């Protein structure tokens, strides 16, 4: 097996080398003839500090919603209980270069409300340098929804329909329209869309709570941008709005226990009475997120010299309500009716306001064989408030002031990056909660949050040795900080709550400090092998524990932990099994026209004190086969080995276990793309874990969504009447395009 893998590796590199040589030769010949060459997008592109996944040209990724597409990316693990990780690194999720500031349940709901065909590409920045915020934690996943525009008025329509058929038939639809126009003074773009999705969720929480939920989601979004060209300079104005309105209807039953005061006891004594129950609940979540950004880009005669000014403001409001429609139950010791209160159980809301101003400057530098210097600064203010039944139970403020300096240089076959970022944090606030007094009455208590007022330096360094063209060996180090997300701080429950469950955030969570190390060999974008380790202090983690017949879902800090990760990616063109190497070396390849397989494997281990976590393997195999009539068949299989530790959980069944198929055909001179797809064909996707809390009893949990679905996706580019129309750069939320092809703004 080992010899086979080594042989495949060398053949794959030879294939890629041959492609590069023949393409170069063909390009030179065609340029002599005066022919314009159109650049083909790469499905996966490896850079020194990031991996770029193209969504726009991959039907197996851009059907359905964004969350479904993300879960198919090789090396990415997404769970309901612990958020997202890529190649062992905890991800901070950005949308068009700006952090979402949400995690776990709220993040999943947000991404489910975005059609996947509205995404252009996803960049996973595995080694954020000094120009990126120190708060990016282990890595950044930047979801870029920008589209290319044409001069004069053009339009593109995207539609998607899918269905599931478990206990009953459920439908999901999404539609979006992208409009682009330009005149002599300015250009504008507008992207609007909606989605509707019906889904189900069945859960088993340690045989104490069984529930079945019918979910109905409705989402709407509008993204707008205007750009003014002022000579070489540009002024960009952007406004985006995202709105989600979700309803959940839950039938549940189970066992619990109630704490009761024993009358006439001094000191006060309590007893616990077991009960069983049946219930019907209805919950509604209403989220609205608005963002406005003003960017001025100063450009110079030297293209690598840039000066950007940006002001941004984000407003996000959320409301969650849960009502009991029906409840019945009885005590079991002795048996007698148990009285439940009907009506509103939860009424929780939150408001978030973020304002920031930043400056970024870069210019070439005469250093060694050439280089660049980048520097800038950022000021940001965030206010976050939560309420429960009209009482403000969290009032959180954070001010961040930052500056950075980074040098890049070349020396023969070496590329160097050295930088540091200085950030000052001032975090404060208050929290309010109820506690029992000596007479067993509820008393509202106000307390200050644990303050965090610190100035810290965050260095980064990278060395890349270029063995040959497109073959690199890279070593990276950076120190980062991850501030607790507002959803982790939120003391309010924003998910279903039964009679025996309590779900809370922790307003006293402390920031996490990361030291990240990585060694990686990459070749021809698709092939790579690497090892990384992240050492974290005060890592934020979710724990689920049991006390008696009550379940508790909480957020804590892990004082110290390490995440080890080994990963390898290998492309295998099928022609290596049918053609001699000499013939392959002469072939001029187009990735869209050949049959190939891409294999990814990764091993990850979470090293936490006093916890015997076993490592797990992640496997992803993507296969492309060109059928007759230029129909493209894409198969994607993902698998994550069970019986392994993931933070404070052990997977009893694999988090990932799905097989997806997509058939795609282009019509009308490639203006119309039609895809039919089937996701999770064998219905293997399920989350079944057992918690390993530092305190309390272990909890068995099983969540099953209706992940097996079938559907149709359509994308139609309405042609412009002006045949001389030229491509214009996207202006939807664009503020900076760095030298590596990335989109995340500096200092964000």
């Amino acid at each position: 097996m080992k010899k086979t893998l080594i042989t495949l590796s060398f053949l794959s590199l030879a294939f890629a080398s041959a492609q590069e040589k023949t393409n170069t030769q063909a390009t030179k010949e065609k340029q002599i003839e005066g022919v314009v060459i159109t650049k083909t997008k790469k499905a996966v592109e490896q850079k020194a500090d990031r991996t770029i996944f193209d969504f726009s040209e991959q039907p197996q990724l851009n059907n359905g919603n964004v969350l479904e597409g993300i879960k198919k990316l090789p090396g990415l693990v997404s769970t309901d209980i612990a958020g997202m990780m890529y190649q062992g690194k905890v991800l901070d999720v950005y949308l068009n270069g700006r952090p979402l500031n949400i995690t776990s349940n709220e993040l999943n709901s947000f991404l489910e409300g975005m059609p996947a065909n509205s995404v252009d590409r996803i960049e996973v920045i595995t080694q954020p340098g000094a120009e990126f915020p120190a708060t990016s934690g282990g890595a950044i996943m930047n979801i870029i929804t920008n589209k290319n525009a044409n001069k004069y008025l053009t339009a593109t329509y995207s539609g998607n329909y899918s269905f599931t058929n478990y206990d009953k038939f459920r439908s999901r639809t999404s539609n979006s329209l992208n409009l682009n126009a330009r005149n002599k003074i300015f250009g504008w773009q507008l992207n609007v869309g909606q989605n509707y999705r019906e889904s189900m969720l069945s859960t088993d929480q340690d045989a104490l709570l069984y529930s079945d939920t019918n979910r109905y989601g409705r989402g709407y979004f509008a993204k707008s941008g205007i750009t003014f060209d002022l000579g070489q300079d540009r002024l960009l104005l952007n406004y985006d709005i995202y709105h989600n309105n979700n309803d959940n209807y839950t039938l549940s039953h189970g066992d619990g226990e109630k704490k009761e005061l024993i009358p006439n006891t001094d000191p006060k004594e309590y007893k616990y009475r077991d009960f069983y129950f049946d219930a019907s609940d209805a919950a509604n979540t209403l989220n609205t997120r608005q963002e406005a950004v003003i960017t001025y880009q100063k450009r110079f005669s030297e293209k690598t010299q840039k000066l950007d000014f940006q002001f941004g403001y984000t407003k996000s409001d959320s409301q969650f309500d849960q009502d009991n429609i029906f409840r019945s139950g009885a005590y079991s010791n002795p048996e007698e009716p148990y009285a439940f209160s009907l009506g509103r159980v939860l009424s929780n809301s939150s408001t978030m306001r973020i304002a920031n101003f930043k400056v970024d400057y870069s210019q070439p530098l005469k250093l060694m064989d050439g280089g660049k210097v980048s520097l800038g600064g950022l000021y940001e203010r965030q206010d976050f408030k939560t309420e429960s039944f009209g009482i403000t139970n969290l009032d959180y403020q954070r001010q961040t002031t930052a500056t950075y300096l980074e040098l890049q240089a070349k020396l023969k076959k070496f590329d160097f990056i050295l930088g540091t970022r200085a950030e000052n944090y001032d975090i404060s606030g208050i929290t309010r909660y109820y506690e029992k007094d000596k007479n067993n009455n509820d008393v509202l208590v106000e307390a200050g949050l644990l303050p965090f007022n610190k100035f810290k330096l965050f260095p980064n360094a990278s060395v890349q040795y270029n063995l040959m063209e497109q073959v690199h060996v890279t070593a990276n180090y950076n120190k980062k900080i991850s501030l607790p997300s507002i959803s982790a701080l939120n003391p309010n429950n924003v998910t279903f709550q039964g009679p025996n469950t309590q779900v809370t955030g922790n307003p006293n969570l402390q920031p996490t400090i990361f030291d990240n190390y990585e060694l990686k060999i990459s070749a021809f974008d698709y092939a790579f092998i690497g090892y990384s380790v992240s050492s974290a202090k005060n890592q934020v983690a979710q724990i689920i524990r049991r006390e008696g017949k009550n379940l508790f879902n909480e957020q804590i800090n892990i004082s110290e932990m390490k995440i080890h990760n080994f990963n390898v990616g290998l492309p295998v063109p099928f022609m290596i099994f049918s053609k001699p190497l000499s013939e392959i070396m002469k072939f001029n390849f187009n990735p869209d026209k050949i049959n190939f397989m891409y294999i990814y494997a990764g091993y990850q281990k979470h090293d936490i004190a006093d916890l015997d976590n076993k490592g797990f393997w992640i496997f992803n195999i993507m296969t492309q086969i060109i059928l007759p009539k230029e129909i493209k068949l894409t198969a994607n299989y993902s698998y994550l080995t069970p019986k392994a530790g993931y933070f404070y959980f052990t997977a009893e069944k694999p988090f990932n276990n799905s097989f997806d198929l997509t058939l795609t055909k282009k019509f009308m001179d490639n203006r119309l793309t039609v895809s039919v797809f089937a996701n999770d064909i064998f219905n293997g996707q399920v989350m079944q874990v057992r918690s390993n809390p530092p305190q309390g009893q272990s909890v068995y949990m099983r969540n099953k969504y209706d992940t097996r679905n079938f559907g149709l996706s359509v994308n139609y580019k309405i042609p412009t009447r002006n045949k001389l129309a030229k491509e214009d750069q996207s202006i939807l939320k664009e503020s900076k395009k760095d030298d590596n092809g990335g989109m995340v703004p500096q200092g964000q």
Side-chain angles (χ1 to χ4, degrees):
M1 180 66 181
K2 187 180 293 184
K3 291 181 179 179
T4 303
L5 288 176
I6 293 172
T7 303
L8 288 176
S9 300
F10 279 108
L11 287 174
S12 300
L13 296 183
F15 148 74
S17 178
Q19 177 180 348
E20 180 67 24
K21 291 177 181 178
T22 53
N23 281 346
T24 302
Q25 183 179 359
T27 299
K28 289 180 178 178
E29 292 174 358
K30 290 182 179 180
Q31 284 176 341
I32 293 173
E33 298 171 3
V35 178
V36 177
I37 304 300
T38 302
K39 184 179 180 181
T40 303
K41 284 188 175 183
K42 297 178 180 179
V44 182
E45 190 171 0
Q46 297 284 341
K47 298 291 185 181
D49 64 341
R50 74 193 68 198
T51 304
I52 303 170
F53 299 95
D54 174 47
F55 263 56
S56 63
E57 301 297 330
Q58 297 192 73
Q60 77 275 11
L61 297 179
N62 64 27
N63 59 61
N65 60 58
V66 173
L67 184 61
E68 291 173 336
I70 286 173
K71 288 183 176 181
K72 297 176 185 178
L73 299 181
L76 192 140
V77 178
S78 175
T79 70
D80 298 333
I81 58 175
M84 295 182 182
M85 298 184 72
Y86 180 76
Q87 295 183 4
K89 299 179 181 180
V90 178
L91 287 172
D92 195 13
V93 182
Y94 282 51
L95 181 66
N96 295 318
R98 295 175 62 79
L100 281 173
N101 287 299
I102 53 179
T103 58
S104 192
N105 176 70
E106 292 182 11
L107 175 62
N108 290 346
S109 297
F110 183 85
L111 297 179
E112 281 182 331
M114 287 183 62
N117 54 27
S118 67
V119 174
D120 182 65
R121 65 188 185 276
I122 287 181
E123 297 182 341
V124 182
I125 297 114
T126 53
Q127 291 294 333
E131 62 179 349
F132 300 105
T135 53
S136 57
I140 296 172
M141 179 172 69
N142 186 34
I143 303 168
I144 302 169
T145 61
N146 298 329
K147 302 287 185 180
N148 282 337
N150 290 321
K151 291 191 175 182
Y152 309 93
L153 180 63
T154 63
T156 301
Y157 166 78
S158 297
N160 186 89
Y161 172 77
S162 64
F163 66 89
T164 64
N165 193 10
Y166 283 72
D167 56 315
K168 68 177 185 179
F169 190 88
R170 295 178 173 88
S171 297
R172 304 171 185 175
T173 62
S174 65
N175 297 276
S176 64
L177 183 65
N178 195 30
L179 301 174
N180 314 274
R182 169 169 289 279
N183 55 42
K184 294 181 179 180
I185 302 175
F186 64 89
W188 63 267
Q189 296 180 26
L190 177 65
N191 185 207
V192 295
Q194 63 83 221
N195 71 85
Y196 173 76
R197 58 198 184 279
E198 300 171 353
S199 60
M200 72 143 210
L201 167 64
S202 61
T203 65
D204 173 4
Q205 298 186 21
D206 219 39
L208 293 179
L209 176 66
Y210 297 91
S211 67
D212 290 288
T213 302
N214 276 302
R215 309 191 306 161
Y216 300 87
R218 295 166 292 274
Y220 311 90
F221 70 90
K223 296 165 50 62
S224 61
I226 301 177
T227 179
F228 297 89
D229 292 323
L230 310 174
Q232 295 187 87
D233 305 340
R234 289 205 309 166
L235 175 65
L236 291 89
L237 308 176
N238 292 97
Y239 172 75
D240 299 350
I241 182 169
Y242 304 87
H243 179 79
N244 284 287
N245 185 1
N246 303 328
D247 292 315
N248 292 343
Y249 299 94
T250 303
L251 296 176
S252 62
H253 66 277
D255 299 307
E257 64 181 11
K258 184 178 181 182
K259 181 180 179 182
E260 291 185 345
L261 174 66
I262 301 176
N264 304 318
T265 56
D266 192 18
K268 304 296 182 182
E269 295 182 14
Y270 298 89
K271 64 178 180 179
Y272 293 88
R273 301 189 65 186
D274 294 340
F275 65 87
Y276 60 89
F277 68 92
D278 288 281
S280 173
D281 294 84
N284 174 260
T285 305
L286 192 64
N287 295 318
T288 303
R289 183 185 182 92
Q290 302 177 73
E291 294 182 332
V293 181
I294 301 173
T295 306
Y296 184 81
Q297 299 178 331
K298 176 69 177 175
R299 295 298 178 258
F300 304 87
S301 55
E302 171 58 54
K303 290 185 178 181
T304 56
Q305 186 177 7
K306 304 175 183 178
L307 176 61
D308 293 344
F309 302 90
Q310 185 181 93
F311 173 77
Y313 183 76
T314 301
K315 176 183 178 182
S316 181
D317 298 300
S318 178
Q319 177 69 41
F320 176 80
D321 297 312
Q322 180 182 330
D323 295 302
N324 292 145
I325 300 174
F326 166 80
R327 278 193 182 183
S328 68
Y331 289 110
S332 57
N333 52 342
E335 182 153 341
E336 61 183 39
Y338 176 35
F340 288 95
S341 59
L342 298 178
R344 184 142 295 183
V345 178
L346 297 173
S347 181
N348 298 327
S349 63
S350 67
T351 60
M352 181 185 71
R353 306 289 184 267
I354 301 177
N356 61 38
F357 177 76
K358 65 190 190 70
V359 180
D360 299 294
Y361 176 75
S362 64
Q363 72 166 44
L365 194 65
K366 292 183 179 179
L367 183 65
M368 300 181 184
D369 294 335
K372 185 178 79 168
V373 60
S374 302
L375 62 144
L378 165 74
Y379 173 80
E380 182 174 272
R381 166 77 186 222
Q382 176 178 337
D383 293 280
F384 180 58
K385 291 184 179 181
T386 65
E387 290 188 1
S388 180
F389 289 102
I391 295 175
T392 301
N393 51 4
L394 175 64
D395 191 349
Y396 169 93
Q397 301 91 34
R398 172 172 63 84
Q399 294 186 71
T400 305
T401 307
T403 185
Y404 71 89
L405 175 66
E406 186 173 80
L407 298 174
Q408 298 182 24
K410 294 179 179 291
L411 181 61
K412 297 181 179 180
K413 289 189 174 184
F414 287 92
D415 295 335
F416 301 95
I417 300 176
L418 182 64
T420 189
R421 188 177 182 93
E423 297 204 354
N424 186 75
Y425 306 96
D426 185 0
I427 300 175
S428 61
I430 59 171
T431 181
R432 298 183 180 93
Y433 55 91
Y434 284 100
E435 66 177 18
K436 300 287 186 181
D437 64 8
K438 62 181 181 179
N439 297 318
N440 201 39
N441 296 319
D442 289 328
V443 178
L444 186 64
V445 177
E446 179 177 306
L449 300 180
L450 294 176
F452 187 82
N453 193 338
K454 289 187 178 180
F455 174 84
K456 294 186 73 67
L457 292 175
F458 299 92
N460 69 284
S462 177
V463 178
Q464 178 172 293
Y465 178 68
N466 304 307
L467 286 170
M468 62 182 73
E469 189 175 2
Q470 295 194 56
V471 179
H472 318 290
V473 180
T474 308
N476 292 295
Y477 165 76
N478 64 57
K479 181 184 284 289
K480 295 291 179 181
I481 185 172
S482 178
L483 303 177
S485 69
I486 58 174
S487 57
L489 295 168
N490 190 349
N492 293 329
N493 178 17
V494 291
T495 61
F496 169 76
Q497 176 170 302
N500 56 359
T501 59
Q502 294 187 31
V503 183
T504 59
N506 182 357
N508 287 309
L509 290 173
Q510 292 296 288
T512 306
I513 303 294
F514 292 94
D515 286 286
N516 302 310
Y517 307 85
E518 183 180 50
L519 181 63
K520 187 175 184 179
I521 302 173
S522 58
F524 310 103
D525 293 328
Y526 291 91
F528 68 92
I529 183 171
Y531 170 76
S532 66
V533 59
S534 292
S535 178
K537 295 182 179 180
N538 287 328
Q539 171 69 57
V540 176
Q542 184 182 23
I543 64 168
I544 298 178
R545 59 185 175 87
R546 173 175 174 170
E547 291 185 5
K549 291 189 175 181
N550 288 304
L551 300 172
F552 298 87
N553 188 328
E554 303 166 332
Q555 302 283 342
I556 65 167
N557 282 117
I558 303 174
S559 58
E560 289 188 1
M561 73 170 291
K562 289 183 179 180
I563 301 176
H564 303 268
N565 193 79
F566 167 80
N567 57 90
V568 58
L570 182 69
V572 182
F574 288 160
M575 65 178 63
I576 66 173
F577 302 110
S578 60
K579 294 181 182 294
L581 184 60
S582 58
E583 187 175 342
I584 293 176
M585 295 291 287
K586 299 175 183 178
F587 203 84
N588 189 7
F589 297 99
N590 182 341
D592 283 338
K593 303 295 183 182
I594 67 169
N595 301 322
F596 71 93
M597 176 184 294
Y598 184 76
I599 302 173
Y600 169 85
Y603 178 79
Q604 191 176 127
K605 188 176 188 301
H606 293 190
D607 188 0
I608 302 175
D610 303 323
L611 194 61
D612 184 21
N613 267 345
K614 295 181 180 179
F616 55 86
W617 282 93
I618 308 166
F619 298 101
N620 182 272
I621 300 175
M622 190 274 281
T623 302
Q624 174 181 287
I625 299 176
I626 308 300
L627 301 176
K629 304 295 184 181
E630 294 188 341
I631 298 174
K632 183 186 297 183
L633 170 66
T634 306
N636 193 296
Y637 178 65
S638 299
Y639 184 79
L640 190 150
T641 56
K643 308 301 181 183
Y646 190 79
F647 290 101
Y648 281 111
F649 299 89
T650 298
E652 295 192 344
K653 288 193 174 182
F655 289 139
N656 292 338
N657 185 18
S658 65
F659 179 67
D660 310 321
L661 284 176
T662 304
L663 285 168
T664 304
K665 170 69 175 173
K666 293 187 177 183
F667 303 90
M668 303 172 65
D669 196 23
N670 294 336
R671 294 199 306 271
L672 174 64
T673 304
V674 178
S675 300
V676 292
F677 57 87
N679 293 324
D680 194 14
I681 293 176
F682 301 116
N683 199 30
Q685 193 76 3
V686 63
M687 190 195 77
Q688 184 171 315
V689 301
R690 184 167 296 278
S691 69
N692 304 303
Q695 296 178 344
Q697 295 175 270
S698 174
V699 175
Y700 163 86
M701 290 186 61
R702 185 181 189 276
N703 289 347
K704 182 68 180 84
Y705 294 90
D706 49 349
T707 51
R708 181 172 58 190
N709 62 84
F710 308 88
L712 172 73
S713 180
V714 176
N715 185 277
Y716 179 58
K717 300 177 182 179
I718 302 172
T720 176
R721 292 184 178 180
N722 192 317
K723 296 182 179 180
L724 298 178
K726 299 178 181 179
E727 276 200 347
D728 204 18
Q729 216 175 25
S730 175
I731 59 175
L732 290 182
K733 260 316 178 45
E734 180 178 358
S735 60
K736 173 182 180 289
K737 206 162 196 173
D738 63 28
D739 295 336
N740 290 326
M743 252 296 303
V744 177
Q746 295 175 345
Q748 182 63 46

